[in-house]
Amino acid sequence: MKRIKAVVLKEAFHILRDPKSLAILFLLPVVMILVLGYSLSFDLKNIETVVIDYSQSELSRSLIQKFSHNQTYSVTQMVKGEGSQSPEETAEEMLKSGEIKQFIIIPQDFSSRIKKGLISHIGVVIDGSDSNIANIVHQYNEMLTFGFISELRDLKDIFQISTKLYFNPENKSVFYIIPGLVAVIMIMISALLTSLSVSREKETGSIELLFISPLQSHEIVLGKTVPYVFIALIEGALILAFARVMFRIPFRGNLWILLVFSLVYIVTGLSLGITISTMASSQKVAMMATLLITLLPSILLSGFIFPLDSLSPILRAFSYIVPATYFLEVIRGLILKGAGWKHFASQGLILIGFSVLFLVIASVKFSQQRKAGK
Amino acid sequence: MTDQDIRSVGAQLITARNLTKKFGDFTAVDKINFNIKKGEIMGFLGPNGAGKTTTIKMMTGLFRITSGDVWIKGLEVKKDINQIKKFIGYMSQKFSLYPLLNAYENIEFWGGVSGLSRKVIKEKKGLISNEIPKEILNQQVKDIPPGIKQRIALFSCLISDPEIILLDEPTSGVDPEVRRNFWTKIYELKKQGKTILVTTHNLDEAEYADRILIIHQGRIILKGEPSELMKARKTDSMENLFKRVVTNHETN
Amino acid sequence: MRIFYLFKKELIEILRQKEMLVLIFVAPILQTIVLGYVVTTDVKNIPVQVVNLSQTQDAYRIVNRINHSSLFDVKKISHIPEDYISIFKKGTAKAIIILRDGFNEGRRNLNYPEVQILMDGIDANTSGIAAGYFNGIVRHYIMTDIQKKGIEFPLKNKTVIRFNPNLESINYMGPGIVALLLTIISMFFTSIAIVREKEQQTMDTLLISRLTPIEIYTGKALPMALLGLIEMGIGILVVVLVFGIFIRGNLGYLLLAAAIFLFANLSYALLISTLCTSQQQALFFSWFSMVLFLLLSGLFTPVENIPSAFRWLADINPLRYLIRIIREIFLKGNDITYFINDLLIMSGITVVILSLSLFNFKRMVSK
């Protein structure tokens, strides 16, 4: 134990003597969560729509109103096209250039057909390049036209569909994004902290001193990881504080439990970092590997942006080895939904399991290299 | 040697006047004056941090001269460094070889970058193969022992056959045998008519030079021929000479 | 040409670092493939619980529809009310559909069961889409039923989706991922190129050689550019072959855009390189800016949503323009006139940043 303490102290001094790096290490996550927290959003603000109304009837105007009165839509009417173009051609151009997300064509006989009891069609052309948005636009359209006809035919009285959003009644995507950001940033920073530790010593050659010291490999690995816990924890707390204060993410659960889970998660990150560190031959390799391992998987395979349920089985399997997946479940459940900690005991255990696994691998690698006399 | 060479033996090739370098408030080199004659071996001595490297870097244009100037072959370093580069060779403290490349590749690089033709580069490669075994030369520089590295570095530095050779701590970290071989090489170069400046913190190497300058805290505290200096101060070793001079300097 | 020797040396140095090679070529391409598959934001398999409190036939039929839809994964169908919050908290379902016999405003029976859609609002993205789907299913049922009864539902939307008829998001994201990986690689490596020289202490000798600072600068940047272009080619090939993305537009334009993008990124990396004193710092900063560039590029979330205070970050971000161009070319098959602006902006960014970094480099080498 005493020997581990020696390693810890040495590492701690090393950290403290480099205030510039320390400052950057603290500044980085803060800036990231600030900038990204405000800038990332799924909210669809404006569906820019052009309507070409050939009917020019009371009915058609009333239909158009249904769209234009809706907050999400931004409707302009086009009477004629640009230059020698037909309105449709101009609208297609606008679609291509991205000026509008869709255009609607109301045919001349729109009103007369409805009045006669025949089926009337309106043409809707949506920009499908962003499939997510196209989907939403399509859904909204359908809902609006359905609403229009139900009113027309007094069908409002025969059915009722309502939607209620739990925990996030205003459907703010911040609720969705901030926890994800927190999970991603925390593991990136934690892993980065330790990933440089051993590889730096390899570069300067001081690792040989460690090799010949009487310390056991696992003692060295532990000793090098421990001092960073404190730093990482402070950073984690900072990030969470920002989430709470700046983005007003409600913390419905127990704060202390959250901190405990954060600690566990951070340790996972630190252990991952030190493992990478033992396997990389230089700092730049370590850094790059850390980035590649923590960034994309945490964003794409953790349920941050893409729902896990929708993934194919193979990919779903991958998500099980991404630590961020588990922490995200904890954050979302604990903080946003206010669920009890018991629900997440298994997540916590899995994360601890990861940490142990990583530390074991790191120790083994370290011994191997020691024996090989590298 | 041509007539001009004969006439200019002993002529001043390098002159420094009030050469000063300041880093902010800190004066690293303080108004030093010296000259180096054509065909001589000049030694800059002094402890680490005395200003030797800074002086060389000013002479090569790597550092901006704060005040004063250096003339090399009649050209001002401040103005015509690009011309001057054409006839100087420089070897830095760390030997400036690329660790991931092998010796041949390093030579090819430095030769090519100096503007040598492919034919000449090939010749050079052949030349060094005569002195050092091919197996070693084919290894990556990081795996080559320091003594041989030094020779390769020197070779690369001389590849464009410069008139003036500036060597910054070329013998640091090498064993006495290698050091001796190095100086043998330097004498050969002198015989070829080259002018050589060597900096070192090894005082015993001073005796190899024609003239020496002792730099301490940015100032020249002694210059002249080693043997005469030692006679004058009645000391038998450079180390004692140095100690005496430094103490004098510091108490003044 | 003297600079050729520098070029050759850089290439040798890069290629002799085996770990870096793996990280540069193998890992990113592997990741592209794996992650390319992930990136189906097509929502499906939403775990849902159905609470059917209505005895009507309609209710059963609606429940059936939901059950048979591949969009949903019906976990449980119950006939008594449940503790809905608890279900969400436990995470057993992301959506709960409640059907009951309801009343309208006039206190009369509704003809159809009242449908309440409860969503777990935490997965805000999915909930919106899922709610829409539910709505659609119920609506569709009601519409068809009404029609059977003889009441015509007189309005139908004939919706056409342009550019991406199957709404496959791989078409949308795939090329973006390639661009992103290129960003990682080129930025990282280039940013340490200059710093590495400083640390190796060979910079001085390099400067004394007959090479001018501009030549040194170019000689270091070009090999990276070359490798980047090769990797880009491989990356695009992989994406097209593995995912079968159909490039509707002109491939030449795509390559041109990607090349300009690469240079823009390299110029940022070089700038970072000239500003940092150690490889570690350079890595730090390129890593940091890369993350920002990645997330603020419009790849995951729309750029329009970025508040004006931070909008400038997206404006100086080459990836943002490349994403736009890629989508234009891949999906819309647009002519160059549509994205010539983006190309010009990217080139402009490159020139400005490159000049800045060159200026810095010169300043840095003449102390």
Side-chain angles (χ1 to χ4, degrees):
Chain A
M1 225 358 109
K2 225 186 276 183
R3 304 199 291 207
I4 297 185
K5 195 167 155 201
V7 181
V8 170
L9 279 175
K10 180 201 94 142
E11 194 76 19
F13 281 138
H14 206 283
I15 301 169
L16 292 172
R17 270 194 215 124
D18 192 4
K20 228 204 274 185
S21 291
L22 215 56
I24 298 176
L25 279 173
F26 273 97
L27 215 58
L28 249 51
V30 164
V31 171
M32 276 206 272
I33 196 158
L34 258 182
V35 173
L36 296 173
Y38 277 119
S39 309
L40 298 179
S41 156
F42 291 114
D43 307 327
L44 186 61
K45 293 217 173 97
N46 253 333
I47 304 178
E48 292 93 2
T49 310
V50 155
V51 178
I52 304 170
D53 184 6
Y54 286 123
S55 168
Q56 298 286 338
S57 56
E58 203 183 304
L59 267 179
S60 70
R61 277 192 282 274
S62 146
L63 174 65
I64 296 176
Q65 247 191 21
K66 202 123 180 85
F67 281 90
S68 58
H69 281 179
N70 188 306
Q71 296 264 26
T72 327
Y73 284 86
S74 164
V75 178
T76 26
Q77 286 211 49
M78 191 186 302
V79 178
K80 57 183 173 95
E82 225 160 288
S84 54
Q85 284 178 331
S86 69
E88 287 92 339
E89 284 171 332
T90 311
E92 284 280 0
E93 285 287 313
M94 292 173 82
L95 202 70
K96 264 191 164 190
S97 67
E99 270 176 77
I100 54 173
K101 294 216 169 65
Q102 65 170 350
F103 64 90
I104 301 175
I105 307 175
I106 306 177
Q108 210 181 28
D109 54 5
F110 174 71
S111 177
S112 49
R113 285 182 75 95
I114 291 186
K115 290 204 176 118
K116 282 192 213 144
L118 297 169
I119 301 178
S120 194
H121 296 261
I122 58 172
V124 179
V125 181
I126 304 178
D127 179 350
S129 48
D130 185 340
S131 47
N132 228 8
I133 293 182
N135 226 331
I136 297 177
V137 171
H138 179 56
Q139 297 291 336
Y140 274 34
N141 287 347
E142 296 285 310
M143 283 200 280
L144 280 187
T145 45
F146 189 74
F148 172 72
I149 288 298
S150 343
E151 279 168 7
L152 203 63
R153 286 278 184 273
D154 283 326
L155 294 173
K156 274 235 113 164
D157 288 338
I158 63 170
F159 71 89
Q160 189 151 310
I161 310 176
S162 63
T163 312
K164 183 173 171 189
L165 231 49
Y166 275 65
F167 312 119
N168 181 8
E170 291 163 55
N171 200 10
K172 289 197 275 194
S173 62
V174 196
F175 278 46
Y176 184 72
I177 290 185
I178 298 296
L181 267 184
V182 170
V184 172
I185 295 178
M186 266 201 210
I187 194 145
M188 266 207 301
I189 298 285
S190 312
L192 191 68
L193 280 173
T194 43
S195 71
L196 300 174
S197 154
V198 174
S199 41
R200 178 180 47 221
E201 305 232 14
K202 282 191 203 171
E203 258 178 41
T204 58
S206 57
I207 197 161
E208 314 209 323
L209 292 171
L210 281 175
F211 279 157
I212 57 175
S213 77
L215 289 163
Q216 301 217 2
S217 295
H218 67 268
E219 289 176 327
I220 297 178
V221 166
L222 268 175
K224 279 186 152 298
T225 313
V226 166
Y228 293 103
V229 174
F230 193 53
I231 300 180
L233 204 57
I234 297 182
E235 283 187 332
L238 253 178
I239 297 174
L240 286 170
F242 267 90
R244 175 81 186 89
V245 173
M246 303 232 73
F247 299 105
R248 302 180 193 286
I249 304 292
F251 276 23
R252 294 193 181 116
N254 188 325
L255 206 61
W256 291 113
I257 297 182
L258 174 65
L259 281 176
V260 168
F261 273 105
S262 303
L263 179 65
V264 171
Y265 185 53
I266 284 170
V267 170
T268 312
L270 293 173
S271 330
L272 175 62
I274 203 124
T275 312
I276 295 175
S277 197
T278 49
M279 300 201 278
S281 62
S282 70
Q283 285 187 75
K284 64 175 183 270
V285 171
M287 243 194 184
M288 205 148 139
T290 308
L291 180 61
L292 284 175
I293 293 175
T294 55
L295 182 64
L296 281 180
S298 302
I299 292 182
L300 293 169
L301 287 172
S302 64
F304 173 15
I305 300 183
F306 306 108
L308 291 176
D309 304 303
S310 309
L311 293 178
S312 67
I314 310 173
L315 292 169
R316 190 70 206 270
F318 271 112
S319 77
Y320 288 129
I321 58 170
V322 175
T325 312
Y326 303 100
F327 189 60
L328 203 54
E329 283 172 25
V330 172
I331 278 199
R332 285 183 175 158
L334 208 60
I335 296 311
L336 294 165
K337 299 187 201 174
W341 66 268
K342 286 189 211 128
H343 296 303
F344 307 105
S346 52
Q347 276 89 338
L349 284 173
I350 294 179
L351 286 176
I352 294 179
F354 270 125
S355 303
V356 170
L357 179 67
F358 289 143
L359 288 172
V360 164
I361 296 179
S363 305
V364 167
K365 276 276 160 203
F366 197 84
S367 315
Q368 279 178 350
Q369 288 168 15
R370 207 174 194 174
K371 289 199 187 108
K374 281 219 182 108
Chain B
M1 291 215 283
T2 66
D3 282 342
Q4 187 178 30
D5 291 327
I6 297 175
R7 258 179 275 135
S8 51
V9 162
Q12 289 176 3
L13 204 55
I14 301 176
T15 312
R17 196 119 299 159
N18 287 330
L19 192 60
T20 308
K21 178 64 185 164
K22 285 201 182 140
F23 293 107
D25 285 334
F26 170 64
T27 308
V29 173
D30 194 7
K31 295 204 197 73
I32 59 172
N33 294 288
F34 63 86
N35 61 66
I36 303 178
K37 301 197 181 91
K38 183 167 165 58
E40 78 171 331
I41 302 174
M42 170 70 97
F44 274 22
L45 278 71
N48 288 325
K52 313 186 294 294
T53 305
T54 312
T55 305
I56 280 203
K57 287 200 170 175
M58 279 194 282
M59 290 166 70
T60 52
L62 288 170
F63 276 1
R64 216 178 300 142
I65 300 176
T66 311
S67 66
D69 209 341
V70 181
W71 286 262
I72 301 184
K73 254 186 119 169
L75 296 168
E76 253 187 275
V77 162
K78 265 187 185 164
K79 294 201 189 122
D80 303 311
I81 186 60
N82 287 323
Q83 295 272 70
I84 295 174
K85 278 188 197 176
K86 293 192 186 141
F87 41 79
I88 55 177
Y90 169 68
M91 188 165 127
S92 80
Q93 269 182 310
K94 292 283 160 86
F95 298 165
S96 40
L97 291 173
Y98 290 103
L100 291 174
L101 274 56
N102 65 36
Y104 286 123
E105 288 160 342
N106 264 288
I107 289 169
E108 178 176 335
F109 174 70
W110 291 113
V113 141
S114 305
L116 299 180
S117 73
R118 257 198 265 205
K119 189 170 130 214
V120 173
I121 294 177
K122 204 165 162 204
E123 283 171 19
K124 296 284 181 188
K125 285 193 200 172
L127 267 176
I128 198 166
S129 306
N130 293 337
E131 295 180 22
I132 302 173
K134 283 205 186 108
E135 304 83 57
I136 300 184
L137 292 175
N138 271 319
Q139 282 182 332
Q140 289 184 352
V141 163
K142 64 178 167 66
D143 299 322
I144 298 181
I148 302 187
K149 243 201 285 215
Q150 186 238 43
R151 286 161 67 185
I152 299 172
L154 188 60
F155 188 87
S156 303
C157 153
L158 300 170
I159 202 161
S160 52
D161 207 31
E163 279 181 60
I164 301 171
I165 305 164
L166 308 168
L167 307 168
D168 195 3
E169 307 251 359
T171 53
S172 56
V174 297
D175 61 51
E177 163 102 26
V178 175
R179 221 184 286 166
R180 245 181 315 203
N181 289 332
F182 168 78
W183 281 105
T184 315
K185 186 80 206 223
I186 299 297
Y187 281 131
E188 270 174 45
L189 291 169
K190 174 179 160 143
K191 259 196 233 152
Q192 290 169 24
K194 310 235 185 268
T195 310
I196 303 144
L197 167 61
V198 178
T199 74
T200 177
H201 59 253
N202 289 319
L203 297 169
D204 48 311
E205 282 185 284
E207 311 184 39
Y208 292 124
D210 294 330
R211 284 198 299 153
I212 59 165
L213 279 182
I214 304 189
I215 302 182
H216 182 56
Q217 290 177 351
R219 301 228 176 90
I220 296 182
I221 55 178
L222 197 64
K223 43 179 154 171
E225 285 174 51
S227 44
E228 290 198 10
L229 290 173
M230 287 200 285
K231 230 196 297 181
R233 297 289 200 288
K234 294 197 182 66
T235 55
D236 54 346
S237 79
M238 284 304 300
E239 221 182 302
N240 290 332
L241 173 67
F242 180 76
K243 277 198 207 141
R244 188 173 296 193
V245 171
V246 168
T247 354
N248 272 346
H249 182 239
E250 282 176 349
T251 48
N252 285 349
Chain C
M1 257 263 78
R2 286 193 312 246
I3 200 175
F4 161 74
Y5 288 101
L6 182 56
F7 191 89
K8 185 174 173 190
K9 167 199 84 99
E10 287 293 309
L11 267 179
I12 297 179
E13 277 186 312
I14 293 171
L15 293 173
R16 291 236 174 111
Q17 298 175 82
K18 291 214 188 74
E19 281 166 315
M20 288 307 262
L21 281 182
V22 169
L23 286 175
I24 294 180
F25 283 98
V26 179
I29 296 194
L30 270 180
Q31 288 211 337
T32 316
I33 297 181
V34 169
L35 302 177
Y37 277 115
V38 170
V39 169
T40 15
T41 33
D42 308 334
V43 174
K44 54 182 188 281
N45 290 333
I46 304 168
V48 63
Q49 192 164 322
V50 177
V51 176
N52 186 1
L53 303 171
S54 157
Q55 307 284 0
T56 60
Q57 271 256 311
D58 291 318
Y60 278 103
R61 288 207 195 108
I62 292 177
V63 171
N64 240 348
R65 293 268 173 92
I66 295 173
N67 220 348
H68 284 131
S69 166
S70 62
L71 297 167
F72 308 113
D73 182 15
V74 178
K75 294 284 183 194
K76 186 175 168 192
I77 304 177
S78 63
H79 298 279
I80 47 169
E82 307 248 5
D83 182 357
Y84 304 127
I85 290 198
S86 172
I87 294 177
F88 284 141
K89 279 189 181 180
K90 285 205 204 112
T92 27
K94 297 255 164 66
I96 302 173
I97 311 271
I98 308 173
L99 297 111
R100 58 161 71 94
D101 300 318
F103 304 97
N104 64 17
E105 274 154 26
R107 293 256 136 228
R108 286 171 57 202
N109 283 353
L110 290 173
N111 294 35
Y112 292 98
E114 175 190 337
V115 176
Q116 235 194 334
I117 306 171
L118 305 180
M119 303 289 314
D120 181 343
I122 297 308
D123 293 348
N125 202 23
T126 337
S127 4
I129 298 178
Y133 284 157
F134 278 127
N135 213 305
I137 289 183
V138 177
R139 252 190 351 246
H140 189 257
Y141 176 79
I142 294 178
M143 268 170 61
T144 354
D145 201 66
I146 291 179
Q147 281 172 320
K148 280 198 215 139
K149 297 202 174 111
I151 302 175
E152 255 317 330
F153 222 74
L155 180 57
K156 291 211 170 80
N157 295 351
K158 266 198 165 166
T159 306
V160 173
I161 311 278
R162 284 267 187 271
F163 314 129
N164 188 2
N166 298 325
L167 280 184
E168 283 174 339
S169 44
I170 183 62
N171 290 340
Y172 179 65
M173 292 287 245
I177 298 272
V178 175
L180 159 151
L181 283 165
L182 283 180
T183 314
I184 303 178
I185 306 320
S186 50
M187 273 208 107
F188 246 36
F189 226 22
T190 314
S191 69
I192 59 179
I194 290 185
V195 182
R196 180 181 65 213
E197 199 82 35
K198 255 194 286 190
E199 286 190 341
Q200 275 179 183
Q201 308 253 8
T202 43
M203 183 62 104
D204 289 340
T205 328
L206 203 55
L207 287 167
I208 296 206
S209 71
R210 320 272 165 84
L211 293 174
T212 61
I214 294 187
E215 285 177 318
I216 296 178
Y217 196 73
T218 323
K220 292 199 138 284
L222 279 183
M224 212 40 240
L226 181 65
L227 282 177
L229 282 171
I230 294 177
E231 176 152 22
M232 174 187 86
I234 300 177
I236 293 180
L237 205 67
V238 164
V239 169
V240 169
L241 286 177
V242 175
F243 301 114
I245 299 177
F246 181 53
I247 303 178
R248 203 167 277 134
N250 190 327
L251 186 64
Y253 287 141
L254 179 66
L255 293 175
L256 173 66
I260 298 181
F261 165 75
L262 199 64
F263 282 109
N265 255 24
L266 289 180
S267 59
Y268 270 113
L270 284 168
L271 180 63
I272 292 174
S273 190
T274 57
L275 290 170
C276 295
T277 49
S278 76
Q279 281 197 65
Q280 203 174 331
Q281 266 181 29
L283 275 173
F284 239 178
F285 281 111
S286 42
W287 174 83
F288 176 53
S289 45
M290 201 223 73
V291 174
L292 280 184
F293 274 177
L294 169 59
L295 290 171
L296 294 175
S297 64
L299 185 61
F300 297 115
T301 64
V303 170
E304 296 91 59
N305 288 346
I306 301 178
S308 35
F310 297 128
R311 184 68 64 89
W312 61 272
L313 279 169
D315 289 337
I316 60 168
N317 179 2
L319 187 58
R320 177 263 187 98
Y321 301 103
L322 184 68
I323 299 277
R324 255 218 304 249
I325 296 176
I326 281 185
R327 286 172 180 159
E328 297 281 325
I329 297 181
F330 264 85
L331 296 171
K332 298 187 184 177
N334 276 352
D335 192 37
I336 192 171
T337 45
Y338 287 95
F339 51 84
I340 188 81
N341 273 341
D342 295 323
L343 281 178
L344 288 175
I345 295 180
M346 274 204 298
S347 313
I349 293 177
T350 311
V351 170
V352 168
I353 303 290
L354 212 53
S355 322
L356 256 176
S357 58
L358 190 61
F359 173 72
N360 236 7
F361 181 68
K362 279 195 174 160
R363 199 178 55 105
M364 186 187 88
V365 297
S366 62
K367 278 168 292 202

